[in-house]
Amino acid sequence: VIRPSSTTPHLTLFSQSRKPNNRSIMTSDSNMIKTSDLLVDILIEEGVQFVFGIPGEENLDFLDSLRKKQGDIKLILTRHEQAAAFMSATIGRLTGQPGVALTTLGPGATNLTTGAAFAFLGGFPCFFLTGQKPIKESKQANFQIINVVEMMKPLTKFTKSVASGNMLAATVRRAFASSVTEKPGPVHIELAEDVASELTSKRIFEKLTLRRPIAEQKAITRAVELLMAAQRPVVIVGAAANRQRAIAALRAFVAETGIYWTSTQMGKGVLDERAKGFLGCTALSDNDLVHGALNMSDLVIMIGHDESEKPPIIMLPGGTRKVLHISFTPAIVDNVYSPSAQVVGDVANAVWQIHEELRAKGKTWEHQPVFKRYKELADVVMERGKEDGSFPMNIVRVVSELRKALPEDAILSLDNGLYKVVIARLFKAYQPNTVLLDNALATMGAGVPNANACKILYPDRKVISVSGDGGFMMNEAELATCVQYDMNIVHVILNDSSFGMIKWKQGNAGFDYWGLDLKNPDFVALAESYGAHGHRVTSAEEFGPLLAKCLDSNGTHVIEVPFSYEWFSAELEETEKECYHIVEMVEKEFGTCLIDCKSHGHDDAAQTGAKATPPTASVKQTDIASAPAPAPVEKPSEAKHQKLVTSKKDYVVQKGSSLPFYLGGDPYKPNENLAVLNKYTGEEFCKVALADESHVDKAIEIAAGVGAKKMRELPAYVRQQILQNVVDEATRRRDEFGYYLAIEAGKPIKDARGEADRLIQTFKLAAEESTRIYGEYADLEIAPRATGYSSVTKRVPVGPVSLISPFNFPLNLAAHKVAPAIAAGCPFVLKPASKTPLGALLIGEILANDPNMPPEGFSILPCSREAGNLLTTDNRFKLMSFTGSPDVGYALKDKASKKPVVLELGGNAACIIDDLDVGLSQLVDEVVHGAFYQSGQSCISVQRLFVRDTIYEKFRDAFVSKVKTLKAGDPLDEDTFIGPVISEDDAKRVESWVQEAVEGGATLLCGGNRFDRVFVSPAVVENVPRTAKLYAEEVFGPAVCIEKYSDFKTAVAEVNNSRFGLQAGVYTNNFNYAHYAFDKIDAGGVCINSTPSVRIDSQAYGGVKDSGLGREGIKYAIEDYTEVKVMVMKNAGKI
């Protein structure tokens, strides 16, 4: 933006028309000084170190005065005046002394207004200086002139235009005094250019020390009376308590009295939140976990409450809980805040006086078992999600990694968005002013400039900003400020490509999602264009190490983090119910009613004399330490499930949708013959077109003809672009893809999003490998007859391939067939499982909309087994790749005629546990996950478990105890671990296999019963007979066989006692045992110190015996999809 005030030619001419000497008048009168020089001297005496802003021609005298004192006061040029206002306010917030912002008149001054409102509501002292045209003589009429003083009146504590140099000193002193007087805030001075240049007296009025008035004794006495009568008092620390003296007094008060406490968003850090008495931050006004504790209190002590913040509690009339207001200013009583008493005066002194009187009376609350127990239970709940590996990242995991990476004195500056609430709740502040957030104006665009101000003030401390993509773009130009002033700073961008908080509220209010999505720039390239270092996170595991590296590196770093609110949004919906549940548990333990119903909104129950009853809910008992053991199965209500289903209004596929298949790259919908069921409810979710034999035949014709030619001729870089486009689109729609998987496969939503992440990784690997399909040169002179011969080989596509994918991983197992086919240049026809066709059709949708992808290169056809016979028998295909059961796979192989076949079949994977070196808890967690994730519907899930006899009982008991806590229920519920199996018939089969094993002499340790049609409770069965199907066959359900062994060789032999051989796991710290297992176990893969249930998408993956033929894994699959072609040369290069 080019402002006329600093660049327009006729303004420059006007400035030159003045006498040049007026700018630096020399005088022999030692008592006189230029007004702008006097202003700089006053600022220095006031302790001002920095002036932030963008000067205009009206500020040139002041600018020159700054130049002459640049050793005492520094000018920091910003790229926007709004940023200067934010930065000056942040200096005031951190130091208690006004920061200074400088702008010109007109547009420069108007750009200050958001920063002024930020400081005014937030209570941050700062001093704004704006220029103005000459007021004694002007030749430009009203050009750029607005009444800046009037504009600033509602946004500042003091504003004035200085009419002459003689008025400057008194006016500035008054402004600074006003700025720091409670409640602190912004002040404004307008200085015209002719006043700035005139001579004035050197007199500087003496700076007076400000002493805040103390509270009257009657108020102190009443406060002490309330405290002495209280059994369960709680302190809430507000924004106005964040004053240096008040901080010291408060820390001593809570430490010695033992009172439990909370903080508001802007009170964070006043007290160390690692302390045992910290109950949480009131990031929300009501219905959060912290409010459960507040509702059990009989006295709330509000210290430093500022009505500009969202209220930390909602008070309703008629309750018995008392509220004591302690602050610099009187309470503003309204319908949500009505204190019983107040102490008005200096907060530090008031807290000290109250503390002294309590100390004299010997009163403390050191033993508060009610709050201690509540905190124990609530803290466990607050830990959820912190290690979530989903991507885009769970916002809770982002916050967890931030806290791990930042030292105690690091400063975290936040922009505004829903993530601010998450950080306020979960990010513990250890020191004052180390978490800077705005809960007053709550403006966007402040995060980056505020962080910059922190770094300028504290160059040796770690400083980081966190902004949403929308807020970051509002002041992204301040990256140039970082680079210009050589800041070592990190700016994190949380990218969800939308105004996420408003979109979240839009959905919660029942509106259609509309008008809030963003098309963002490439943030890495944007950062680098400013001279900063740009980074983009591609997995949850990558963020923490990258953040730590950037914090320890020189320069300005920008980290883009794709993230999602989905998990947190669902978590918030359950929070009120969690709160009720924990309170009820505490009440039961202590045998008393602790809730004052009217104090938190349940006055209906209070009026009837009944105890307030929480809404029916699925309470997450399994997460709460020491709570009564819950039933292992809890099925959420149908209403809740429908809410989760209908909340995805912006997704392409909705309940009742009708989808086409893809024939020769084009969508066709000749019918709606295939119903896709919601595996949880059994209801129809959508319909899909079903291909018949003629469609399959046409697809083969297209693939073998034009498709083969076009795919073969695609340059490697174009194949890479096609694959990368799938990566980009799937990343953008990752949560949507996970949602469909949860619906069509019954896969718990966390696992479903994890599979979407794996699809992204698989296509990413394929994109990389597509440009690494190499040949080789060979010298063939192996005998006299071969003299002069050499050769060059290259790998070429085999031609059309037929692909058949299973139901259990509808996205990623389809990806493991489609991605290498595209990378190799092979046209393909894919038949997805009829029970779960959506994942493959999503891939088809992306390919169909990619202009680089030849439409003749692919078909994706859900079809009946009869129609799909051509995929096996037709010799126009040059290879068939099948994933499914052994019986079907080998039957297809027999029909495949001349074509090569890749079979990835089943298994009954075994795991040997020879020691507990990894730790019992971790080992149990890993094996439980490996056995029961996705309800055991994986060909490498742990089915047979062999445990060293010396540790058997210890492991078995811990393992069974953990299994009993697994939550079964709605796949869309974030806390569900056990979802439905794929069909009712399969649920019945698994149950019958468990019963057969028990009838044959095995011991059922837990689970094994079918319920709610398609659920099987996770079963652990001990000493299963070798002939039982549960041991000998692939169960493909939530059941594990467990037994002990005494000899390692015997255990390995028992692993091999199976017709399958896909993968096996071995936990051992014995190097020789590990190599013995690798050598002797007859399986395609042996996983050391891991369950067999691990598949890394780049690894060679496949089995032996009845577990298959060939290998998957992108690099290895490309070898199957290509063949070697050789060019033999004689005397090549010889002349």
Side-chain angles (χ1 to χ4, degrees):
V1 177
I2 299 176
R3 291 203 176 84
S5 60
S6 58
T7 59
T8 307
H10 74 267
L11 288 183
T12 304
L13 290 174
F14 174 75
S15 297
Q16 291 173 345
S17 70
R18 300 181 60 202
K19 295 179 180 180
N21 288 339
N22 285 354
R23 289 296 185 188
S24 55
I25 297 175
M26 302 296 294
T27 175
S28 59
D29 189 344
S30 60
N31 293 319
M32 301 297 286
I33 189 173
K34 191 166 72 165
T35 300
S36 61
D37 289 344
L38 177 65
L39 176 54
V40 171
D41 288 345
I42 297 172
L43 294 180
I44 293 171
E45 188 174 294
E46 288 283 356
V48 175
Q49 296 176 271
F50 309 101
V51 174
F52 303 95
I54 303 176
E57 67 175 88
E58 295 76 21
N59 308 118
L60 290 177
D61 283 288
F62 180 72
L63 191 65
D64 191 61
S65 298
L66 284 176
R67 177 189 62 79
K68 291 183 287 188
K69 293 294 180 74
Q70 56 187 298
D72 299 312
I73 188 169
K74 294 180 175 60
L75 174 67
I76 305 295
L77 288 176
T78 60
R79 295 314 196 263
H80 196 286
E81 292 89 351
Q82 184 186 93
F86 287 144
M87 294 173 79
S88 65
T90 297
I91 294 295
R93 181 179 193 173
L94 295 173
T95 66
Q97 299 301 313
V100 176
L102 168 69
T103 77
T104 184
L105 77 168
T110 60
N111 282 341
L112 287 175
T113 53
T114 300
F118 167 76
F120 186 74
L121 290 181
F124 311 137
C126 51
F127 177 92
F128 297 151
L129 176 66
T130 62
Q132 188 53 273
K133 296 295 181 186
I135 58 176
K136 300 176 182 179
E137 176 185 1
S138 176
K139 298 181 180 179
Q140 294 192 17
N142 288 328
F143 176 68
Q144 287 196 312
I145 293 177
I146 61 171
N147 193 331
V148 176
V149 171
E150 286 297 318
M151 178 183 73
M152 286 292 189
K153 278 184 178 180
L155 300 175
T156 59
K157 297 183 67 180
F158 174 85
T159 177
K160 190 173 182 65
S161 179
V162 177
S164 73
N166 293 332
M167 296 294 296
L168 179 79
T171 304
V172 173
R173 284 294 197 217
R174 180 181 173 188
F176 268 78
S178 178
S179 182
V180 298
T181 303
E182 292 293 341
K183 173 182 172 179
V187 293
H188 166 249
I189 295 294
E190 181 181 77
L191 185 63
E193 60 178 306
D194 52 353
V195 176
S197 64
E198 71 183 19
L199 292 176
T200 187
S201 170
K202 275 188 175 181
R203 181 186 179 190
I204 300 179
F205 295 94
E206 183 178 354
K207 181 179 178 181
L208 299 177
T209 302
L210 176 66
R211 303 294 297 180
R212 298 186 181 96
I214 64 174
E216 66 171 356
Q217 186 57 45
K218 288 182 179 180
I220 298 292
T221 300
R222 175 58 179 150
V224 172
E225 289 173 354
L226 288 172
L227 278 157
M228 291 296 294
Q231 295 181 355
R232 296 184 302 278
V234 174
V235 166
I236 300 180
V237 180
N242 191 9
R243 308 287 188 267
Q244 188 172 354
R245 291 178 61 250
I247 290 168
L250 261 171
R251 291 197 168 203
F253 177 68
V254 298
E256 292 187 28
T257 62
I259 293 179
Y260 278 73
W261 55 275
T262 73
S263 74
T264 67
Q265 289 190 35
M266 294 177 69
K268 285 183 72 68
V270 170
L271 302 178
D272 188 337
E273 294 176 0
R274 292 169 294 189
K276 66 179 182 180
F278 178 58
L279 292 168
C281 175
T282 57
L284 303 170
S285 294
D286 202 3
N287 296 329
D288 201 356
L289 287 173
V290 67
H291 296 105
L294 289 170
N295 291 334
M296 291 192 297
S297 68
D298 53 3
L299 174 66
V300 172
I301 310 157
M302 290 287 305
I303 302 180
H305 177 57
D306 188 329
E307 69 278 1
S308 295
E309 276 205 88
K310 279 189 175 181
I313 53 174
I314 303 296
M315 299 174 56
L316 295 178
T320 60
R321 180 181 58 195
K322 305 293 185 183
V323 175
L324 172 62
H325 173 91
I326 303 175
S327 194
F328 298 99
T329 55
I332 296 179
V333 178
D334 56 25
N335 58 353
V336 297
Y337 187 62
S338 52
S340 313
Q342 60 180 343
V343 178
V344 179
D346 180 70
V347 168
N349 181 270
V351 171
W352 175 79
Q353 286 194 68
I354 293 169
H355 186 190
E356 287 297 303
E357 293 205 19
L358 291 173
R359 179 185 289 161
K361 297 176 185 293
K363 181 66 173 176
T364 67
W365 292 265
E366 289 181 0
H367 304 291
Q368 285 285 297
V370 169
F371 289 137
K372 180 181 179 182
R373 183 61 175 145
Y374 188 91
K375 176 177 168 61
E376 288 172 352
L377 298 175
D379 282 353
V380 172
V381 175
M382 294 291 276
E383 288 297 309
R384 289 199 296 249
K386 289 187 176 181
E387 301 302 323
D388 185 358
S390 59
F391 191 83
M393 287 185 72
N394 181 341
I395 184 61
V396 174
R397 174 71 182 271
V398 174
V399 176
S400 175
E401 296 297 338
L402 285 169
R403 183 62 279 177
K404 290 177 187 176
L406 293 175
E408 287 193 19
D409 66 343
I411 299 177
L412 172 61
S413 170
L414 302 182
D415 208 85
N416 199 60
L418 184 57
Y419 57 86
K420 181 188 73 173
V421 174
V422 186
I423 290 175
R425 292 176 85 241
L426 300 177
F427 186 97
K428 290 186 177 180
Y430 304 154
Q431 297 183 17
N433 292 320
T434 53
V435 179
L436 301 187
L437 51 75
D438 172 19
N439 194 35
L441 183 64
T443 180
M444 297 170 70
V448 170
N450 289 349
N452 292 351
C454 295
K455 192 64 183 179
I456 287 170
L457 184 64
Y458 302 121
D460 295 329
R461 291 169 68 175
K462 306 291 188 188
V463 176
I464 182 172
S465 77
V466 174
S467 305
D469 44 353
F472 177 81
M473 291 301 294
M474 293 183 181
N475 267 315
E476 48 90 7
E478 295 310 311
L479 290 180
T481 306
C482 300
V483 173
Q484 178 168 341
Y485 293 100
D486 298 321
M487 296 184 199
N488 299 328
I489 193 169
V490 178
H491 296 296
V492 173
I493 305 170
L494 301 176
N495 185 8
D496 63 352
S497 298
S498 69
F499 289 113
M501 184 172 189
I502 308 305
K503 190 173 182 179
W504 173 69
K505 291 188 175 183
Q506 188 179 52
N508 286 347
F511 294 104
D512 290 340
Y513 290 117
W514 188 83
L516 295 169
D517 290 327
L518 300 172
K519 185 174 183 179
N520 284 320
D522 182 330
F523 286 116
V524 172
L526 179 68
E528 292 172 350
S529 72
Y530 280 110
H533 305 280
H535 313 271
R536 181 177 295 110
V537 172
T538 59
S539 70
E541 291 72 23
E542 181 184 353
F543 177 54
L546 175 61
L547 178 60
K549 180 180 178 181
C550 292
L551 284 166
D552 290 334
S553 302
N554 292 332
T556 298
H557 293 264
V558 176
I559 304 176
E560 177 190 350
V561 182
F563 84 110
S564 170
Y565 285 128
E566 183 172 356
W567 186 94
F568 180 71
S569 179
E571 183 82 352
L572 277 186
E573 290 184 10
E574 297 298 316
T575 299
E576 183 177 4
K577 300 162 191 173
E578 295 274 10
C579 198
Y580 272 113
H581 173 60
I582 296 175
V583 169
E584 285 188 336
M585 288 182 64
V586 175
E587 286 182 337
K588 287 178 182 178
E589 286 189 33
F590 292 93
T592 182
C593 180
L594 301 168
I595 291 289
D596 170 18
C597 299
K598 281 196 173 183
S599 294
H600 68 290
H602 294 279
D603 47 347
D604 289 343
Q607 288 168 7
T608 61
K611 183 176 176 181
T613 303
T616 56
S618 67
V619 180
K620 303 166 186 171
Q621 293 179 328
T622 58
D623 289 331
I624 299 176
S626 304
V633 174
E634 179 189 340
K635 188 171 181 181
S637 68
E638 180 66 18
K640 178 183 175 184
H641 175 80
Q642 291 303 324
K643 182 178 181 181
L644 291 170
V645 170
T646 57
S647 66
K648 313 300 181 184
K649 297 178 181 178
D650 56 344
Y651 289 175
V652 173
V653 184
Q654 296 288 322
K655 186 175 182 180
S657 293
S658 177
L659 279 69
F661 56 64
Y662 292 89
L663 174 57
D666 292 327
Y668 279 86
K669 194 163 59 175
N671 57 57
E672 296 180 344
N673 290 347
L674 180 59
V676 179
L677 302 183
N678 181 323
K679 300 306 184 293
Y680 172 62
T681 65
E683 296 176 346
E684 182 179 294
F685 176 66
C686 66
K687 293 181 182 294
V688 169
L690 192 66
D692 60 24
E693 188 171 351
S694 67
H695 297 127
V696 177
D697 183 65
K698 183 65 175 178
I700 300 171
E701 177 187 336
I702 294 171
V706 179
K709 181 176 185 297
K710 287 191 175 182
M711 290 296 290
R712 185 186 186 108
E713 292 174 352
L714 280 180
Y717 77 89
V718 176
R719 297 198 297 271
Q720 185 180 55
Q721 288 173 352
I722 294 168
L723 293 161
Q724 184 59 45
N725 181 61
V726 178
V727 171
D728 294 341
E729 283 299 299
T731 299
R732 182 178 67 84
R733 299 173 61 186
R734 174 254 193 187
D735 288 350
E736 180 185 0
F737 283 18
Y739 169 75
Y740 299 144
L741 281 185
I743 293 290
E744 70 166 346
K747 184 171 295 198
I749 189 65
K750 289 181 180 178
D751 290 336
R753 287 195 291 260
E755 184 177 340
D757 291 335
R758 289 185 62 191
L759 164 106
I760 293 164
Q761 186 66 60
T762 298
F763 272 93
K764 186 176 181 181
L765 288 167
E768 295 167 354
E769 291 294 339
S770 67
T771 59
R772 294 199 289 254
I773 304 175
Y774 302 133
E776 64 179 8
Y777 168 83
D779 187 336
L780 300 181
E781 294 182 316
I782 60 170
R785 74 181 185 88
T787 300
Y789 280 93
S790 61
S791 70
V792 173
T793 62
K794 66 177 181 178
R795 301 198 72 90
V796 298
V798 297
V801 294
S802 80
L803 311 174
I804 304 173
S805 61
F807 75 81
N808 59 324
F809 285 87
L811 274 175
N812 197 42
L813 291 186
H816 269 284
K817 300 184 184 303
V818 169
I822 296 173
C826 294
F828 66 87
V829 179
L830 169 67
K831 176 192 177 299
S834 297
K835 292 176 181 177
T836 56
L838 295 185
L841 293 175
L842 293 170
I843 297 172
E845 178 194 342
I846 294 173
L847 294 176
N849 290 315
D850 185 350
N852 287 321
M853 180 67 189
E856 300 87 354
F858 78 98
S859 295
I860 298 178
L861 303 175
C863 60
S864 66
R865 184 169 293 182
E866 294 73 23
N869 281 335
L870 287 175
L871 295 171
T872 306
T873 60
D874 198 301
N875 282 326
R876 286 174 291 180
F877 285 121
K878 303 307 177 186
L879 177 135
M880 182 185 76
S881 178
F882 169 85
T883 298
S885 70
D887 293 344
V888 175
Y890 283 110
L892 295 179
K893 176 179 177 295
D894 291 341
K895 298 177 182 178
S897 185
K898 301 175 182 179
K899 70 179 70 63
V901 174
V902 177
L903 301 178
E904 197 277 279
L905 306 176
N908 60 354
C911 185
I912 298 174
I913 299 176
D914 196 59
D915 56 56
L916 300 177
D917 274 23
V918 301
L920 179 62
S921 177
Q922 179 179 335
L923 181 60
V924 166
D925 286 347
E926 290 181 8
V927 178
V928 167
H929 186 272
F932 298 109
Y933 79 103
Q934 205 169 299
S935 297
Q937 296 174 110
S938 168
C939 48
I940 51 175
S941 65
V942 177
Q943 185 172 331
R944 298 179 297 144
L945 196 52
F946 304 99
V947 185
R948 170 72 70 176
D949 53 1
T950 55
I951 59 173
Y952 179 73
E953 284 78 12
K954 186 176 183 180
F955 174 84
R956 179 198 60 193
D957 294 348
F959 180 71
V960 172
S961 294
K962 181 70 175 181
V963 172
K964 287 180 178 179
T965 69
L966 298 179
K967 177 181 175 180
D970 188 347
L972 293 177
D973 187 330
E974 293 287 344
D975 293 315
T976 292
F977 186 85
I978 299 291
V981 295
I982 194 66
S983 71
E984 186 172 357
D985 287 343
D986 282 282
K988 291 178 179 178
R989 175 184 57 79
V990 174
E991 183 182 44
S992 70
W993 284 16
V994 172
Q995 291 172 351
E996 179 204 39
V998 173
E999 290 168 1
T1003 301
L1004 181 63
L1005 301 179
C1006 68
N1009 59 298
R1010 184 175 69 91
F1011 63 96
D1012 288 332
R1013 192 176 57 84
V1014 286
F1015 283 84
V1016 178
S1017 58
V1020 181
V1021 189
E1022 190 175 43
N1023 298 327
V1024 178
R1026 300 297 186 259
T1027 57
K1029 294 186 183 71
L1030 192 66
Y1031 187 94
E1033 301 297 330
E1034 180 181 32
V1035 66
F1036 229 62
V1040 170
C1041 307
I1042 186 171
E1043 61 186 68
K1044 68 176 72 172
Y1045 72 89
S1046 58
D1047 177 70
F1048 189 78
K1049 288 184 178 180
T1050 303
V1052 169
E1054 195 53 52
V1055 170
N1056 289 333
N1057 182 20
S1058 170
R1059 69 185 181 102
F1060 301 106
L1062 189 48
Q1063 287 196 159
V1066 178
Y1067 283 90
T1068 181
N1069 65 357
N1070 188 308
F1071 182 80
N1072 291 329
Y1073 281 10
H1075 276 271
Y1076 181 88
F1078 182 44
D1079 184 50
K1080 299 298 183 182
I1081 289 179
D1082 196 9
V1086 178
C1087 305
I1088 303 299
N1089 289 325
S1090 171
T1091 67
S1093 315
V1094 173
R1095 178 181 180 180
I1096 309 302
D1097 292 303
S1098 59
Q1099 76 172 77
Y1101 180 78
V1104 298
K1105 299 188 284 189
D1106 277 2
S1107 288
L1109 298 169
R1111 293 294 179 267
E1112 288 191 342
I1114 299 302
K1115 175 183 175 181
Y1116 306 96
I1118 288 174
E1119 292 178 1
D1120 285 329
Y1121 290 16
T1122 57
E1123 55 193 3
V1124 175
K1125 188 172 185 179
V1126 62
M1127 178 174 67
V1128 179
M1129 300 170 287
K1130 184 176 182 181
N1131 297 328
K1134 295 182 180 179
I1135 300 176

